[in-house]
CSV table of all heavy atoms in Angstrom, one decimal:
chain,number,residue,atom,x,y,z
A,106,PRO,N,0.8,-1.3,0.0
A,106,PRO,CA,0.0,0.0,0.1
A,106,PRO,C,0.8,1.2,-0.1
A,106,PRO,O,1.9,1.4,0.7
A,106,PRO,CB,-0.8,-0.2,1.3
A,106,PRO,CG,-0.9,-1.6,1.5
A,106,PRO,CD,0.5,-2.1,1.0
A,107,GLY,N,0.5,2.2,-0.8
A,107,GLY,CA,1.2,3.5,-1.0
A,107,GLY,C,2.3,3.4,-2.0
A,107,GLY,O,2.8,4.4,-2.4
A,108,GLY,N,2.4,2.2,-2.6
A,108,GLY,CA,3.4,2.0,-3.6
A,108,GLY,C,2.9,2.4,-5.1
A,108,GLY,O,1.8,2.8,-5.2
A,109,SER,N,3.8,2.1,-6.0
A,109,SER,CA,3.4,2.6,-7.5
A,109,SER,C,3.8,1.4,-8.4
A,109,SER,O,4.6,0.6,-8.2
A,109,SER,CB,4.2,3.8,-7.8
A,109,SER,OG,3.9,4.9,-7.1
A,110,LEU,N,2.9,1.5,-9.5
A,110,LEU,CA,3.1,0.5,-10.6
A,110,LEU,C,2.9,1.3,-11.9
A,110,LEU,O,2.0,2.2,-11.9
A,110,LEU,CB,2.3,-0.7,-10.5
A,110,LEU,CG,2.6,-1.9,-9.5
A,110,LEU,CD1,1.5,-2.9,-9.6
A,110,LEU,CD2,4.0,-2.5,-9.9
A,111,ARG,N,3.5,0.9,-13.0
A,111,ARG,CA,3.1,1.4,-14.3
A,111,ARG,C,2.8,0.2,-15.1
A,111,ARG,O,3.6,-0.6,-15.5
A,111,ARG,CB,4.2,2.2,-14.9
A,111,ARG,CG,3.8,3.0,-16.1
A,111,ARG,CD,4.9,3.8,-16.8
A,111,ARG,NE,5.8,3.0,-17.6
A,111,ARG,CZ,6.5,3.4,-18.7
A,111,ARG,NH1,6.4,4.7,-18.9
A,111,ARG,NH2,7.3,2.7,-19.4
A,112,LEU,N,1.5,0.3,-15.6
A,112,LEU,CA,1.0,-0.8,-16.5
A,112,LEU,C,1.3,-0.2,-18.0
A,112,LEU,O,1.2,0.9,-18.3
A,112,LEU,CB,-0.4,-1.0,-16.3
A,112,LEU,CG,-0.8,-1.4,-14.9
A,112,LEU,CD1,-2.3,-1.8,-14.9
A,112,LEU,CD2,0.0,-2.5,-14.4
A,113,SER,N,1.6,-1.2,-18.8
A,113,SER,CA,1.7,-0.9,-20.2
A,113,SER,C,0.8,-1.7,-21.0
A,113,SER,O,0.4,-2.8,-20.7
A,113,SER,CB,3.2,-1.2,-20.6
A,113,SER,OG,4.2,-0.5,-19.9
A,114,CYS,N,0.4,-1.1,-22.2
A,114,CYS,CA,-0.6,-1.7,-23.1
A,114,CYS,C,0.2,-1.6,-24.5
A,114,CYS,O,0.2,-0.5,-25.0
A,114,CYS,CB,-1.9,-1.0,-23.1
A,114,CYS,SG,-3.1,-1.7,-24.3
A,115,ALA,N,0.6,-2.7,-24.9
A,115,ALA,CA,1.3,-2.8,-26.2
A,115,ALA,C,0.4,-3.2,-27.3
A,115,ALA,O,-0.3,-4.3,-27.1
A,115,ALA,CB,2.5,-3.7,-26.1
A,116,ALA,N,0.3,-2.6,-28.4
A,116,ALA,CA,-0.5,-2.9,-29.6
A,116,ALA,C,0.3,-3.5,-30.7
A,116,ALA,O,1.5,-3.1,-30.9
A,116,ALA,CB,-1.3,-1.6,-30.0
A,117,SER,N,-0.3,-4.4,-31.5
A,117,SER,CA,0.2,-4.9,-32.7
A,117,SER,C,-0.8,-5.2,-33.7
A,117,SER,O,-2.0,-5.2,-33.3
A,117,SER,CB,1.0,-6.3,-32.4
A,117,SER,OG,0.1,-7.2,-31.8
A,118,GLY,N,-0.5,-5.4,-34.9
A,118,GLY,CA,-1.4,-5.6,-35.9
A,118,GLY,C,-2.1,-4.5,-36.6
A,118,GLY,O,-2.7,-4.5,-37.6
A,119,SER,N,-2.0,-3.4,-35.9
A,119,SER,CA,-2.5,-2.1,-36.4
A,119,SER,C,-1.9,-0.9,-35.7
A,119,SER,O,-1.2,-1.1,-34.7
A,119,SER,CB,-4.0,-2.1,-36.3
A,119,SER,OG,-4.7,-1.0,-36.9
A,120,ASN,N,-2.2,0.3,-36.3
A,120,ASN,CA,-1.6,1.5,-35.6
A,120,ASN,C,-2.6,1.9,-34.5
A,120,ASN,O,-3.7,2.3,-34.7
A,120,ASN,CB,-1.6,2.6,-36.7
A,120,ASN,CG,-0.9,3.8,-36.1
A,120,ASN,OD1,-0.7,4.0,-34.9
A,120,ASN,ND2,-0.4,4.7,-37.1
A,121,LEU,N,-2.0,1.9,-33.2
A,121,LEU,CA,-2.8,2.2,-32.1
A,121,LEU,C,-3.3,3.6,-32.1
A,121,LEU,O,-4.2,4.0,-31.4
A,121,LEU,CB,-2.0,1.9,-30.8
A,121,LEU,CG,-2.8,2.0,-29.4
A,121,LEU,CD1,-3.9,0.9,-29.4
A,121,LEU,CD2,-1.9,1.9,-28.3
A,122,GLY,N,-2.6,4.4,-32.9
A,122,GLY,CA,-2.9,5.9,-33.1
A,122,GLY,C,-4.3,6.1,-33.6
A,122,GLY,O,-4.9,7.2,-33.4
A,123,TYR,N,-5.0,5.0,-34.2
A,123,TYR,CA,-6.3,5.1,-34.7
A,123,TYR,C,-7.4,4.8,-33.7
A,123,TYR,O,-8.6,4.8,-34.1
A,123,TYR,CB,-6.5,4.3,-35.9
A,123,TYR,CG,-5.7,4.6,-37.1
A,123,TYR,CD1,-4.9,3.8,-37.8
A,123,TYR,CD2,-5.6,6.0,-37.5
A,123,TYR,CE1,-4.0,4.1,-38.8
A,123,TYR,CE2,-4.8,6.4,-38.6
A,123,TYR,CZ,-4.0,5.4,-39.2
A,123,TYR,OH,-3.2,5.8,-40.3
A,124,PHE,N,-6.9,4.5,-32.5
A,124,PHE,CA,-7.9,3.9,-31.4
A,124,PHE,C,-7.8,4.6,-30.2
A,124,PHE,O,-6.7,5.0,-29.7
A,124,PHE,CB,-7.5,2.4,-31.1
A,124,PHE,CG,-7.7,1.4,-32.3
A,124,PHE,CD1,-6.6,1.5,-33.2
A,124,PHE,CD2,-8.8,0.7,-32.4
A,124,PHE,CE1,-6.8,0.5,-34.3
A,124,PHE,CE2,-8.9,-0.2,-33.5
A,124,PHE,CZ,-8.0,-0.3,-34.4
A,125,ALA,N,-9.0,4.8,-29.5
A,125,ALA,CA,-9.0,5.3,-28.2
A,125,ALA,C,-8.7,4.0,-27.3
A,125,ALA,O,-8.9,2.8,-27.8
A,125,ALA,CB,-10.4,5.8,-27.8
A,126,VAL,N,-8.2,4.2,-26.0
A,126,VAL,CA,-7.8,3.1,-25.1
A,126,VAL,C,-8.5,3.3,-23.9
A,126,VAL,O,-8.3,4.4,-23.3
A,126,VAL,CB,-6.3,2.9,-25.1
A,126,VAL,CG1,-5.8,1.8,-24.2
A,126,VAL,CG2,-5.7,2.6,-26.5
A,127,GLY,N,-8.9,2.2,-23.3
A,127,GLY,CA,-9.4,2.3,-22.0
A,127,GLY,C,-8.7,1.2,-21.0
A,127,GLY,O,-8.3,0.3,-21.5
A,128,TRP,N,-8.6,1.6,-19.8
A,128,TRP,CA,-8.1,0.6,-18.8
A,128,TRP,C,-9.2,0.2,-17.9
A,128,TRP,O,-10.1,1.1,-17.5
A,128,TRP,CB,-7.0,1.2,-17.9
A,128,TRP,CG,-5.7,1.2,-18.5
A,128,TRP,CD1,-5.1,2.3,-19.2
A,128,TRP,CD2,-4.8,0.2,-18.6
A,128,TRP,NE1,-3.8,1.9,-19.7
A,128,TRP,CE2,-3.6,0.6,-19.3
A,128,TRP,CE3,-4.7,-1.3,-18.3
A,128,TRP,CZ2,-2.5,-0.2,-19.6
A,128,TRP,CZ3,-3.7,-2.0,-18.5
A,128,TRP,CH2,-2.5,-1.4,-19.1
A,129,PHE,N,-9.4,-1.1,-17.6
A,129,PHE,CA,-10.5,-1.6,-16.8
A,129,PHE,C,-9.8,-2.5,-15.7
A,129,PHE,O,-8.7,-2.8,-15.9
A,129,PHE,CB,-11.5,-2.4,-17.7
A,129,PHE,CG,-12.1,-1.6,-18.8
A,129,PHE,CD1,-11.4,-1.3,-20.0
A,129,PHE,CD2,-13.4,-1.3,-18.6
A,129,PHE,CE1,-12.1,-0.6,-20.9
A,129,PHE,CE2,-14.0,-0.6,-19.6
A,129,PHE,CZ,-13.4,-0.2,-20.7
A,130,ARG,N,-10.6,-2.8,-14.7
A,130,ARG,CA,-10.1,-3.8,-13.8
A,130,ARG,C,-11.3,-4.6,-13.1
A,130,ARG,O,-12.4,-4.1,-13.2
A,130,ARG,CB,-9.4,-3.1,-12.6
A,130,ARG,CG,-10.3,-2.1,-11.7
A,130,ARG,CD,-9.5,-1.4,-10.7
A,130,ARG,NE,-10.2,-0.7,-9.8
A,130,ARG,CZ,-9.8,0.4,-9.0
A,130,ARG,NH1,-8.4,0.6,-8.9
A,130,ARG,NH2,-10.6,1.0,-8.2
A,131,GLN,N,-10.9,-5.8,-12.7
A,131,GLN,CA,-11.9,-6.6,-12.1
A,131,GLN,C,-11.4,-7.3,-10.8
A,131,GLN,O,-10.3,-8.0,-10.9
A,131,GLN,CB,-12.4,-7.7,-13.1
A,131,GLN,CG,-13.5,-8.6,-12.6
A,131,GLN,CD,-14.1,-9.3,-13.8
A,131,GLN,OE1,-13.5,-9.6,-14.8
A,131,GLN,NE2,-15.4,-9.7,-13.5
A,132,ALA,N,-11.9,-7.1,-9.7
A,132,ALA,CA,-11.6,-7.6,-8.5
A,132,ALA,C,-12.3,-8.9,-8.3
A,132,ALA,O,-13.4,-9.1,-8.9
A,132,ALA,CB,-11.9,-6.7,-7.4
A,133,PRO,N,-11.8,-9.8,-7.5
A,133,PRO,CA,-12.5,-11.0,-7.3
A,133,PRO,C,-13.9,-10.8,-6.8
A,133,PRO,O,-14.1,-10.2,-5.9
A,133,PRO,CB,-11.6,-11.7,-6.2
A,133,PRO,CG,-10.2,-11.2,-6.4
A,133,PRO,CD,-10.5,-9.7,-6.8
A,134,GLY,N,-14.8,-11.6,-7.4
A,134,GLY,CA,-16.2,-11.5,-6.9
A,134,GLY,C,-16.9,-10.1,-7.4
A,134,GLY,O,-18.1,-9.9,-7.0
A,135,LYS,N,-16.2,-9.3,-8.2
A,135,LYS,CA,-16.9,-8.0,-8.5
A,135,LYS,C,-17.0,-8.0,-10.0
A,135,LYS,O,-16.3,-8.6,-10.8
A,135,LYS,CB,-16.2,-6.8,-8.0
A,135,LYS,CG,-16.1,-6.8,-6.5
A,135,LYS,CD,-15.5,-5.5,-5.9
A,135,LYS,CE,-15.6,-5.4,-4.4
A,135,LYS,NZ,-14.9,-4.0,-3.9
A,136,GLU,N,-17.8,-7.0,-10.5
A,136,GLU,CA,-17.9,-6.7,-11.9
A,136,GLU,C,-16.7,-6.0,-12.4
A,136,GLU,O,-16.1,-5.2,-11.6
A,136,GLU,CB,-19.2,-6.0,-12.2
A,136,GLU,CG,-20.4,-6.9,-11.9
A,136,GLU,CD,-21.8,-6.2,-12.5
A,136,GLU,OE1,-21.5,-5.1,-12.9
A,136,GLU,OE2,-22.8,-6.8,-12.5
A,137,ARG,N,-16.5,-6.0,-13.7
A,137,ARG,CA,-15.4,-5.3,-14.2
A,137,ARG,C,-15.8,-3.9,-14.2
A,137,ARG,O,-16.9,-3.5,-14.6
A,137,ARG,CB,-15.1,-5.7,-15.7
A,137,ARG,CG,-13.9,-5.1,-16.3
A,137,ARG,CD,-13.7,-5.8,-17.7
A,137,ARG,NE,-14.9,-5.4,-18.6
A,137,ARG,CZ,-15.1,-6.2,-19.7
A,137,ARG,NH1,-14.4,-7.2,-20.0
A,137,ARG,NH2,-16.2,-5.9,-20.4
A,138,GLU,N,-14.9,-3.0,-13.9
A,138,GLU,CA,-15.1,-1.5,-14.0
A,138,GLU,C,-14.2,-0.7,-14.8
A,138,GLU,O,-12.9,-1.0,-14.9
A,138,GLU,CB,-15.2,-1.0,-12.5
A,138,GLU,CG,-13.9,-1.0,-11.8
A,138,GLU,CD,-13.9,-0.4,-10.4
A,138,GLU,OE1,-14.7,0.4,-10.2
A,138,GLU,OE2,-12.9,-0.7,-9.6
A,139,GLY,N,-14.6,0.3,-15.3
A,139,GLY,CA,-13.7,1.3,-16.1
A,139,GLY,C,-12.9,2.0,-15.1
A,139,GLY,O,-13.4,2.5,-14.1
A,140,VAL,N,-11.5,2.2,-15.4
A,140,VAL,CA,-10.7,2.9,-14.6
A,140,VAL,C,-10.3,4.2,-15.2
A,140,VAL,O,-10.3,5.3,-14.5
A,140,VAL,CB,-9.4,2.0,-14.3
A,140,VAL,CG1,-8.3,2.9,-13.5
A,140,VAL,CG2,-9.8,0.8,-13.5
A,141,SER,N,-9.9,4.3,-16.4
A,141,SER,CA,-9.4,5.4,-17.1
A,141,SER,C,-9.6,5.1,-18.7
A,141,SER,O,-9.4,4.0,-19.1
A,141,SER,CB,-8.0,5.7,-16.7
A,141,SER,OG,-7.5,6.9,-17.4
A,142,CYS,N,-9.7,6.3,-19.3
A,142,CYS,CA,-9.6,6.2,-20.9
A,142,CYS,C,-8.9,7.4,-21.5
A,142,CYS,O,-8.8,8.4,-20.8
A,142,CYS,CB,-10.9,5.9,-21.5
A,142,CYS,SG,-12.0,7.4,-21.4
A,143,ILE,N,-8.4,7.1,-22.7
A,143,ILE,CA,-7.7,8.2,-23.3
A,143,ILE,C,-8.2,8.3,-24.8
A,143,ILE,O,-8.2,7.2,-25.5
A,143,ILE,CB,-6.2,8.1,-23.2
A,143,ILE,CG1,-5.4,9.3,-23.8
A,143,ILE,CG2,-5.7,6.8,-23.8
A,143,ILE,CD1,-3.9,9.3,-23.4
A,144,SER,N,-8.3,9.4,-25.3
A,144,SER,CA,-8.9,9.6,-26.6
A,144,SER,C,-7.8,9.3,-27.6
A,144,SER,O,-6.6,9.2,-27.3
A,144,SER,CB,-9.4,11.0,-26.9
A,144,SER,OG,-8.4,12.0,-26.7
A,145,ILE,N,-8.2,9.2,-28.9
A,145,ILE,CA,-7.2,8.8,-30.0
A,145,ILE,C,-5.9,9.7,-30.0
A,145,ILE,O,-4.8,9.1,-30.0
A,145,ILE,CB,-8.0,8.8,-31.3
A,145,ILE,CG1,-9.0,7.7,-31.5
A,145,ILE,CG2,-7.0,8.8,-32.5
A,145,ILE,CD1,-9.9,7.8,-32.7
A,146,ALA,N,-6.2,11.0,-30.0
A,146,ALA,CA,-5.0,11.8,-30.0
A,146,ALA,C,-4.4,12.1,-28.7
A,146,ALA,O,-3.4,12.8,-28.5
A,146,ALA,CB,-5.3,13.0,-30.8
A,147,GLY,N,-5.1,11.6,-27.6
A,147,GLY,CA,-4.6,11.9,-26.3
A,147,GLY,C,-5.0,13.2,-25.7
A,147,GLY,O,-4.6,13.6,-24.5
A,148,TYR,N,-5.9,14.0,-26.4
A,148,TYR,CA,-6.3,15.3,-25.9
A,148,TYR,C,-7.3,15.2,-24.8
A,148,TYR,O,-7.4,16.2,-23.9
A,148,TYR,CB,-6.8,16.1,-27.0
A,148,TYR,CG,-5.9,16.4,-28.1
A,148,TYR,CD1,-6.2,16.2,-29.4
A,148,TYR,CD2,-4.7,17.1,-27.8
A,148,TYR,CE1,-5.3,16.4,-30.4
A,148,TYR,CE2,-3.8,17.4,-28.8
A,148,TYR,CZ,-4.0,17.1,-30.1
A,148,TYR,OH,-3.1,17.3,-31.1
A,149,TYR,N,-8.0,14.0,-24.7
A,149,TYR,CA,-8.9,13.9,-23.5
A,149,TYR,C,-8.7,12.7,-22.8
A,149,TYR,O,-8.4,11.6,-23.3
A,149,TYR,CB,-10.4,13.8,-24.2
A,149,TYR,CG,-11.4,13.6,-23.1
A,149,TYR,CD1,-11.7,14.6,-22.2
A,149,TYR,CD2,-12.1,12.4,-22.9
A,149,TYR,CE1,-12.6,14.4,-21.1
A,149,TYR,CE2,-13.0,12.2,-22.0
A,149,TYR,CZ,-13.4,13.2,-21.0
A,149,TYR,OH,-14.2,12.9,-20.0
A,150,THR,N,-8.7,12.8,-21.5
A,150,THR,CA,-8.6,11.5,-20.6
A,150,THR,C,-9.8,11.7,-19.5
A,150,THR,O,-10.3,12.7,-19.3
A,150,THR,CB,-7.3,11.7,-19.9
A,150,THR,OG1,-7.2,12.8,-19.1
A,150,THR,CG2,-6.1,11.5,-20.8
A,151,ASN,N,-10.2,10.5,-19.0
A,151,ASN,CA,-11.2,10.4,-18.1
A,151,ASN,C,-10.7,9.4,-17.0
A,151,ASN,O,-10.1,8.4,-17.3
A,151,ASN,CB,-12.5,9.9,-18.7
A,151,ASN,CG,-13.7,9.9,-17.7
A,151,ASN,OD1,-13.9,8.9,-17.1
A,151,ASN,ND2,-14.3,11.0,-17.7
């Protein structure tokens, strides 16, 4: 607790620049939830 991690999402097969990307997580016994997303050009994040 209190520590840090950096997750990476690597794409292949196409140019990721044409796609928005979202991060999701699922805890045991819980539904998957959205954590963060970034628009295609990166101008918008949530």
